mmCIF file of all heavy atoms in Angstrom:
data_model
loop_
_atom_site.group_PDB
_atom_site.id
_atom_site.type_symbol
_atom_site.label_atom_id
_atom_site.label_comp_id
_atom_site.label_asym_id
_atom_site.label_seq_id
_atom_site.Cartn_x
_atom_site.Cartn_y
_atom_site.Cartn_z
ATOM 1 N N ASN Q 39 89.908 93.688 99.671
ATOM 2 C CA ASN Q 39 88.909 92.629 99.468
ATOM 3 C C ASN Q 39 87.645 93.140 98.779
ATOM 4 O O ASN Q 39 86.551 92.654 99.047
ATOM 5 C CB ASN Q 39 88.536 91.953 100.793
ATOM 6 C CG ASN Q 39 89.687 91.208 101.398
ATOM 7 O OD1 ASN Q 39 90.539 90.703 100.696
ATOM 8 N ND2 ASN Q 39 89.723 91.153 102.712
ATOM 9 N N LEU Q 40 87.805 94.100 97.891
ATOM 10 C CA LEU Q 40 86.662 94.590 97.131
ATOM 11 C C LEU Q 40 86.305 93.594 96.032
ATOM 12 O O LEU Q 40 87.153 92.845 95.556
ATOM 13 C CB LEU Q 40 86.983 95.948 96.507
ATOM 14 C CG LEU Q 40 87.106 97.110 97.487
ATOM 15 C CD1 LEU Q 40 87.741 98.322 96.807
ATOM 16 C CD2 LEU Q 40 85.748 97.470 98.045
ATOM 17 N N SER Q 41 85.061 93.595 95.634
ATOM 18 C CA SER Q 41 84.598 92.715 94.573
ATOM 19 C C SER Q 41 85.237 93.105 93.240
ATOM 20 O O SER Q 41 85.375 94.292 92.942
ATOM 21 C CB SER Q 41 83.076 92.816 94.455
ATOM 22 O OG SER Q 41 82.636 92.165 93.281
ATOM 23 N N PRO Q 42 85.599 92.128 92.420
ATOM 24 C CA PRO Q 42 86.140 92.437 91.092
ATOM 25 C C PRO Q 42 85.133 93.170 90.205
ATOM 26 O O PRO Q 42 85.508 93.796 89.229
ATOM 27 C CB PRO Q 42 86.482 91.070 90.496
ATOM 28 C CG PRO Q 42 86.500 90.122 91.626
ATOM 29 C CD PRO Q 42 85.633 90.696 92.701
ATOM 30 N N THR Q 43 83.853 93.106 90.562
ATOM 31 C CA THR Q 43 82.831 93.762 89.746
ATOM 32 C C THR Q 43 82.591 95.214 90.159
ATOM 33 O O THR Q 43 81.797 95.901 89.527
ATOM 34 C CB THR Q 43 81.494 93.007 89.837
ATOM 35 O OG1 THR Q 43 81.035 93.023 91.194
ATOM 36 C CG2 THR Q 43 81.654 91.575 89.352
ATOM 37 N N ILE Q 44 83.274 95.687 91.207
ATOM 38 C CA ILE Q 44 83.036 97.054 91.669
ATOM 39 C C ILE Q 44 83.487 98.045 90.605
ATOM 40 O O ILE Q 44 84.502 97.847 89.939
ATOM 41 C CB ILE Q 44 83.690 97.320 93.034
ATOM 42 C CG1 ILE Q 44 83.060 98.551 93.662
ATOM 43 C CG2 ILE Q 44 85.195 97.460 92.921
ATOM 44 C CD1 ILE Q 44 83.125 98.592 95.155
ATOM 45 N N ASN Q 45 82.725 99.082 90.442
ATOM 46 C CA ASN Q 45 82.940 100.092 89.418
ATOM 47 C C ASN Q 45 83.677 101.283 90.021
ATOM 48 O O ASN Q 45 83.337 101.752 91.100
ATOM 49 C CB ASN Q 45 81.557 100.511 88.898
ATOM 50 C CG ASN Q 45 81.623 101.492 87.793
ATOM 51 O OD1 ASN Q 45 82.372 102.453 87.826
ATOM 52 N ND2 ASN Q 45 80.782 101.261 86.789
ATOM 53 N N ASP Q 46 84.672 101.806 89.308
ATOM 54 C CA ASP Q 46 85.441 102.947 89.816
ATOM 55 C C ASP Q 46 84.558 104.183 89.991
ATOM 56 O O ASP Q 46 84.790 104.991 90.884
ATOM 57 C CB ASP Q 46 86.614 103.250 88.892
ATOM 58 C CG ASP Q 46 87.726 104.005 89.607
ATOM 59 O OD1 ASP Q 46 88.068 103.630 90.749
ATOM 60 O OD2 ASP Q 46 88.239 104.987 89.035
ATOM 61 N N ASN Q 47 83.526 104.333 89.154
ATOM 62 C CA ASN Q 47 82.608 105.469 89.313
ATOM 63 C C ASN Q 47 81.816 105.369 90.612
ATOM 64 O O ASN Q 47 81.544 106.385 91.260
ATOM 65 C CB ASN Q 47 81.652 105.565 88.124
ATOM 66 C CG ASN Q 47 82.346 106.057 86.883
ATOM 67 O OD1 ASN Q 47 83.337 106.771 86.952
ATOM 68 N ND2 ASN Q 47 81.836 105.663 85.728
ATOM 69 N N ASP Q 48 81.431 104.144 90.999
ATOM 70 C CA ASP Q 48 80.730 103.957 92.272
ATOM 71 C C ASP Q 48 81.627 104.359 93.445
ATOM 72 O O ASP Q 48 81.186 105.011 94.388
ATOM 73 C CB ASP Q 48 80.277 102.507 92.446
ATOM 74 C CG ASP Q 48 79.213 102.114 91.439
ATOM 75 O OD1 ASP Q 48 78.501 103.019 90.943
ATOM 76 O OD2 ASP Q 48 79.098 100.914 91.148
ATOM 77 N N LEU Q 49 82.897 103.946 93.377
ATOM 78 C CA LEU Q 49 83.844 104.326 94.437
ATOM 79 C C LEU Q 49 84.012 105.843 94.469
ATOM 80 O O LEU Q 49 84.029 106.452 95.547
ATOM 81 C CB LEU Q 49 85.188 103.638 94.215
ATOM 82 C CG LEU Q 49 85.217 102.130 94.417
ATOM 83 C CD1 LEU Q 49 86.572 101.557 94.005
ATOM 84 C CD2 LEU Q 49 84.894 101.787 95.862
ATOM 85 N N ILE Q 52 81.194 107.532 96.292
ATOM 86 C CA ILE Q 52 81.311 107.372 97.748
ATOM 87 C C ILE Q 52 82.369 108.322 98.287
ATOM 88 O O ILE Q 52 82.133 109.056 99.248
ATOM 89 C CB ILE Q 52 81.655 105.916 98.111
ATOM 90 C CG1 ILE Q 52 80.463 105.009 97.815
ATOM 91 C CG2 ILE Q 52 82.076 105.805 99.569
ATOM 92 C CD1 ILE Q 52 80.775 103.539 97.921
ATOM 93 N N THR Q 64 92.580 102.932 92.456
ATOM 94 C CA THR Q 64 92.079 101.568 92.529
ATOM 95 C C THR Q 64 93.084 100.668 91.828
ATOM 96 O O THR Q 64 93.534 100.963 90.728
ATOM 97 C CB THR Q 64 90.706 101.457 91.841
ATOM 98 O OG1 THR Q 64 89.814 102.396 92.436
ATOM 99 C CG2 THR Q 64 90.127 100.057 91.980
ATOM 100 N N ILE Q 65 93.427 99.573 92.489
ATOM 101 C CA ILE Q 65 94.403 98.628 91.945
ATOM 102 C C ILE Q 65 93.708 97.290 91.732
ATOM 103 O O ILE Q 65 93.079 96.763 92.646
ATOM 104 C CB ILE Q 65 95.604 98.472 92.900
ATOM 105 C CG1 ILE Q 65 96.287 99.831 93.078
ATOM 106 C CG2 ILE Q 65 96.580 97.415 92.378
ATOM 107 C CD1 ILE Q 65 97.282 99.879 94.195
ATOM 108 N N ARG Q 66 93.832 96.771 90.510
ATOM 109 C CA ARG Q 66 93.249 95.466 90.165
ATOM 110 C C ARG Q 66 94.396 94.535 89.783
ATOM 111 O O ARG Q 66 95.134 94.801 88.846
ATOM 112 C CB ARG Q 66 92.271 95.598 89.009
ATOM 113 C CG ARG Q 66 91.076 96.448 89.359
ATOM 114 C CD ARG Q 66 90.157 96.680 88.165
ATOM 115 N NE ARG Q 66 89.100 97.592 88.505
ATOM 116 C CZ ARG Q 66 87.955 97.231 89.073
ATOM 117 N NH1 ARG Q 66 87.728 95.967 89.345
ATOM 118 N NH2 ARG Q 66 87.038 98.135 89.365
ATOM 119 N N LYS Q 67 94.540 93.460 90.558
ATOM 120 C CA LYS Q 67 95.600 92.494 90.286
ATOM 121 C C LYS Q 67 94.984 91.106 90.341
ATOM 122 O O LYS Q 67 94.522 90.676 91.396
ATOM 123 C CB LYS Q 67 96.706 92.626 91.321
ATOM 124 C CG LYS Q 67 97.890 91.758 91.057
ATOM 125 C CD LYS Q 67 98.998 92.032 92.030
ATOM 126 C CE LYS Q 67 100.191 91.164 91.667
ATOM 127 N NZ LYS Q 67 101.283 91.388 92.591
ATOM 128 N N ASP Q 68 94.968 90.437 89.196
ATOM 129 C CA ASP Q 68 94.271 89.155 89.057
ATOM 130 C C ASP Q 68 92.810 89.382 89.459
ATOM 131 O O ASP Q 68 92.171 90.245 88.916
ATOM 132 C CB ASP Q 68 94.944 88.069 89.891
ATOM 133 C CG ASP Q 68 96.397 87.848 89.481
ATOM 134 O OD1 ASP Q 68 96.679 87.925 88.269
ATOM 135 O OD2 ASP Q 68 97.234 87.617 90.360
ATOM 136 N N SER Q 69 92.301 88.638 90.421
ATOM 137 C CA SER Q 69 90.909 88.839 90.846
ATOM 138 C C SER Q 69 90.831 89.692 92.105
ATOM 139 O O SER Q 69 89.758 89.882 92.667
ATOM 140 C CB SER Q 69 90.242 87.486 91.097
ATOM 141 O OG SER Q 69 90.884 86.831 92.173
ATOM 142 N N ARG Q 70 91.959 90.245 92.534
ATOM 143 C CA ARG Q 70 91.988 91.071 93.746
ATOM 144 C C ARG Q 70 91.823 92.546 93.396
ATOM 145 O O ARG Q 70 92.432 93.044 92.457
ATOM 146 C CB ARG Q 70 93.307 90.851 94.488
ATOM 147 C CG ARG Q 70 93.450 89.415 94.959
ATOM 148 C CD ARG Q 70 94.814 89.103 95.471
ATOM 149 N NE ARG Q 70 95.230 90.056 96.481
ATOM 150 C CZ ARG Q 70 96.426 90.066 97.032
ATOM 151 N NH1 ARG Q 70 97.315 89.190 96.672
ATOM 152 N NH2 ARG Q 70 96.726 90.961 97.942
ATOM 153 N N VAL Q 71 90.980 93.226 94.184
ATOM 154 C CA VAL Q 71 90.754 94.660 93.971
ATOM 155 C C VAL Q 71 90.949 95.367 95.300
ATOM 156 O O VAL Q 71 90.397 94.965 96.323
ATOM 157 C CB VAL Q 71 89.334 94.943 93.429
ATOM 158 C CG1 VAL Q 71 89.130 96.427 93.230
ATOM 159 C CG2 VAL Q 71 89.102 94.187 92.128
ATOM 160 N N MET Q 72 91.773 96.413 95.270
ATOM 161 C CA MET Q 72 92.021 97.221 96.463
ATOM 162 C C MET Q 72 92.068 98.688 96.065
ATOM 163 O O MET Q 72 92.175 99.017 94.887
ATOM 164 C CB MET Q 72 93.311 96.790 97.147
ATOM 165 C CG MET Q 72 94.538 96.987 96.298
ATOM 166 S SD MET Q 72 95.957 96.084 96.885
ATOM 167 C CE MET Q 72 95.633 94.481 96.193
ATOM 168 N N ASN Q 94 77.493 99.893 102.011
ATOM 169 C CA ASN Q 94 77.389 98.502 101.589
ATOM 170 C C ASN Q 94 78.276 98.289 100.367
ATOM 171 O O ASN Q 94 77.804 98.314 99.235
ATOM 172 C CB ASN Q 94 75.930 98.150 101.286
ATOM 173 C CG ASN Q 94 75.741 96.681 101.022
ATOM 174 O OD1 ASN Q 94 76.615 95.888 101.322
ATOM 175 N ND2 ASN Q 94 74.601 96.338 100.455
ATOM 176 N N LEU Q 95 79.572 98.077 100.623
ATOM 177 C CA LEU Q 95 80.505 97.837 99.528
ATOM 178 C C LEU Q 95 80.516 96.350 99.204
ATOM 179 O O LEU Q 95 80.489 95.508 100.101
ATOM 180 C CB LEU Q 95 81.919 98.274 99.927
ATOM 181 C CG LEU Q 95 82.136 99.768 100.119
ATOM 182 C CD1 LEU Q 95 83.537 100.023 100.653
ATOM 183 C CD2 LEU Q 95 81.953 100.500 98.811
ATOM 184 N N LEU Q 96 80.567 96.030 97.925
ATOM 185 C CA LEU Q 96 80.627 94.629 97.521
ATOM 186 C C LEU Q 96 82.013 94.079 97.829
ATOM 187 O O LEU Q 96 83.027 94.682 97.477
ATOM 188 C CB LEU Q 96 80.354 94.500 96.023
ATOM 189 C CG LEU Q 96 78.948 94.849 95.567
ATOM 190 C CD1 LEU Q 96 78.865 94.776 94.048
ATOM 191 C CD2 LEU Q 96 77.934 93.924 96.208
ATOM 192 N N SER Q 97 82.032 92.936 98.505
ATOM 193 C CA SER Q 97 83.307 92.305 98.837
ATOM 194 C C SER Q 97 83.586 91.161 97.876
ATOM 195 O O SER Q 97 82.703 90.694 97.166
ATOM 196 C CB SER Q 97 83.299 91.792 100.272
ATOM 197 O OG SER Q 97 82.376 90.739 100.395
ATOM 198 N N SER Q 98 84.841 90.722 97.902
ATOM 199 C CA SER Q 98 85.195 89.554 97.109
ATOM 200 C C SER Q 98 84.587 88.326 97.778
ATOM 201 O O SER Q 98 84.109 88.401 98.908
ATOM 202 C CB SER Q 98 86.718 89.420 97.044
ATOM 203 O OG SER Q 98 87.210 89.061 98.319
ATOM 204 N N ASN Q 99 84.650 87.207 97.109
ATOM 205 C CA ASN Q 99 84.103 85.993 97.711
ATOM 206 C C ASN Q 99 85.046 85.395 98.744
ATOM 207 O O ASN Q 99 84.726 84.422 99.391
ATOM 208 C CB ASN Q 99 83.764 84.959 96.625
ATOM 209 C CG ASN Q 99 84.971 84.574 95.805
ATOM 210 O OD1 ASN Q 99 86.076 85.053 96.029
ATOM 211 N ND2 ASN Q 99 84.771 83.712 94.831
ATOM 212 N N ARG Q 100 86.231 85.991 98.926
ATOM 213 C CA ARG Q 100 87.210 85.480 99.879
ATOM 214 C C ARG Q 100 86.977 85.990 101.298
ATOM 215 O O ARG Q 100 87.300 85.315 102.259
ATOM 216 C CB ARG Q 100 88.628 85.876 99.461
ATOM 217 C CG ARG Q 100 89.114 85.194 98.215
ATOM 218 C CD ARG Q 100 90.558 85.535 97.944
ATOM 219 N NE ARG Q 100 90.836 86.956 97.969
ATOM 220 C CZ ARG Q 100 90.680 87.783 96.960
ATOM 221 N NH1 ARG Q 100 90.214 87.342 95.825
ATOM 222 N NH2 ARG Q 100 90.972 89.059 97.072
ATOM 223 N N VAL Q 103 85.044 93.190 103.315
ATOM 224 C CA VAL Q 103 85.824 94.352 102.921
ATOM 225 C C VAL Q 103 86.682 94.794 104.108
ATOM 226 O O VAL Q 103 86.214 94.866 105.245
ATOM 227 C CB VAL Q 103 84.902 95.507 102.457
ATOM 228 C CG1 VAL Q 103 85.695 96.769 102.202
ATOM 229 C CG2 VAL Q 103 84.135 95.100 101.214
#
Side-chain angles (χ1 to χ4, degrees):
N39 295 329
L40 290 167
S41 169
T43 62
I44 198 154
N45 183 316
D46 203 44
N47 287 333
D48 294 335
L49 291 173
I52 291 170
T64 304
I65 300 168
R66 296 175 185 274
K67 185 174 183 181
D68 300 323
S69 64
R70 297 170 53 185
V71 180
M72 63 196 82
N94 188 15
L95 292 174
L96 293 176
S97 67
S98 69
N99 59 1
R100 291 185 309 275
V103 173

